[in-house]
Amino acid sequence: MRAMLTELPYRKLTGFRRFLLEVDRTTPRGARIAICLPFAAWEGGYGYGYHRASFLLPGKQVVPLLRLGADVPAPGNVALADFVACWHQAPRIDGFEVLWRSGDGVLMKRTR
């Protein structure tokens, strides 16, 4: 029952919890992590994933790639991040290199 209740908030984001737990294990305390999700709408999934990420990345700053509460991309926010955690996608982002890749996504680290 405990395992089912732990996964319950992530039931529509299969693998997201597992992905973020690995991101948490491999990034240092205080890291700024941009969250890259395959949703273009805040209410269409991005906002939910963004807020869930803050629960699983304690001691780290979660950086949105959509303007908070809006369906407007905020690609300039990537400049604020040390890492980019991309769930179910693997975009190429200038200034970042792949640190690791799993079946759930990719973690990238700033190179410059």
Side-chain angles (χ1 to χ4, degrees):
M1 181 80 132
R2 182 180 187 176
M4 189 232 7
L5 292 175
T6 298
E7 290 295 329
L8 187 63
Y10 304 93
R11 70 187 178 280
K12 292 185 179 180
L13 303 171
T14 306
F16 190 56
R17 181 177 176 278
R18 177 178 52 232
F19 174 67
L20 288 178
L21 289 173
E22 188 60 29
V23 169
D24 185 46
R25 277 192 286 273
T26 56
T27 54
R29 185 166 187 74
R32 295 167 299 180
I33 304 169
I35 302 297
C36 185
L37 300 169
F39 307 111
W42 188 265
E43 294 297 327
Y46 188 88
Y48 187 78
Y50 170 79
H51 288 299
R52 289 274 106 200
S54 66
F55 290 110
L56 294 174
L57 299 171
K60 295 164 186 172
Q61 181 183 351
V62 179
V63 178
L65 294 179
L66 279 185
R67 190 175 307 153
L68 290 177
D71 299 342
V72 179
N77 283 358
V78 105
L80 305 172
D82 306 310
F83 297 88
V84 180
C86 300
W87 178 67
H88 284 198
Q89 53 188 331
R92 184 168 163 72
I93 302 174
D94 289 338
F96 287 82
E97 67 183 11
V98 172
L99 190 59
W100 56 257
R101 181 182 313 268
S102 75
D104 296 314
V106 172
L107 179 64
M108 293 182 265
K109 181 179 182 173
R110 178 173 297 286
T111 57
R112 53 182 163 98

